[in-house]
Amino acid sequence: MATVNEAPIEGVKLIDLIGHDDTRGVFVETYRKEWLPGAREMIQGNRADRQAGSLVGLHFHPTQADYWYVCAGAAQIVLYDLRIGSPTQGKIMSIEAGQSQDGSFNHMAVYIPPGVGHGFAAITDITLTYLVDSYYTTAEEMGIIWNDEDIAAPWQLKDPVLSDRDQLHPQLAKLGDLQPRYHSA
């Protein structure tokens, strides 16, 4: 059974999944609703394949939660609590997910509550699957520039490949009324 752990950012959960390996490969149970009591039901599943050197984020959703699992490759996940009034506002964390340098695989999922900035860097080619608790809408897609000096994210990539959208995100200081507010569970 998976183990659910609290993270340094309020509401973020790190779920240590168990991989069952044999001569055929590996099986991993990646999600159970019971692991996140009180969370809204996840209703949409997505998959992202990114090439090594790509960086996505920092994105945030005012009302949508995400549940991420790197199922192939090595990724760095960066989270930043930008919720006004959160007990961990301004806290940043970096997680290495997927393939480790020693060849082992870190089967960990990450639950990201609404309002927490999130992004990932593809250290190798990766496949990331993710669940969300509301259907995709452009109104929920917001972001902060990946290299904002006020956030000082510890990205492992120094000259990443970025989408046009990720290159145009504003700095945190310019979010104004778009900066999400903290709502306790």
Side-chain angles (χ1 to χ4, degrees):
M1 182 58 86
T3 305
V4 180
N5 300 296
E6 300 295 324
I9 294 176
E10 175 73 26
V12 171
K13 307 284 189 227
L14 304 176
I15 300 92
D16 290 321
L17 306 171
I18 299 172
H20 303 279
D21 298 67
D22 65 22
T23 56
R24 301 168 299 163
V26 65
F27 170 82
V28 179
E29 186 175 43
T30 61
Y31 175 78
R32 281 188 178 210
K33 184 173 176 29
E34 67 189 48
W35 296 339
L36 302 168
R40 293 185 341 187
E41 181 178 2
M42 296 295 169
I43 62 169
Q44 180 177 322
N46 303 299
R47 171 185 163 152
D49 294 300
R50 294 292 181 264
Q51 65 183 342
S54 298
L55 190 145
V56 176
L58 289 166
H59 298 164
F60 68 93
H61 315 286
T63 62
Q64 174 184 294
D66 285 45
Y67 181 88
W68 287 7
Y69 173 60
V70 175
C71 50
Q76 176 195 20
I77 296 172
V78 171
L79 305 176
Y80 179 78
D81 191 352
L82 54 103
R83 301 169 294 178
I84 294 172
S86 167
T88 55
Q89 181 179 348
K91 183 85 173 166
I92 194 164
M93 59 185 289
S94 175
I95 304 161
E96 292 186 17
Q99 193 76 37
S100 298
Q101 290 182 359
D102 67 4
S104 63
F105 201 88
N106 177 1
H107 292 289
M108 180 179 46
V110 181
Y111 173 79
I112 307 162
V116 172
H118 51 276
F120 63 89
I123 306 307
T124 66
D125 291 352
I126 67 165
T127 298
L128 169 82
T129 59
Y130 61 104
L131 304 173
V132 293
D133 66 0
S134 63
Y135 294 115
Y136 175 81
T137 171
T138 56
E140 275 287 317
E141 264 314 302
M142 298 183 179
I144 306 159
I145 193 70
W146 70 280
N147 60 352
D148 188 312
E149 291 178 2
D150 290 336
I151 295 173
W155 294 111
Q156 294 177 24
L157 301 178
K158 299 305 174 212
D159 189 23
V161 177
L162 300 162
S163 70
D164 290 342
R165 181 182 72 166
D166 283 341
Q167 292 178 52
L168 298 174
H169 286 313
Q171 294 176 315
L172 176 61
K174 296 185 178 180
L175 276 183
D177 290 341
L178 295 178
Q179 189 167 348
R181 305 272 188 252
Y182 174 74
H183 303 284
S184 60

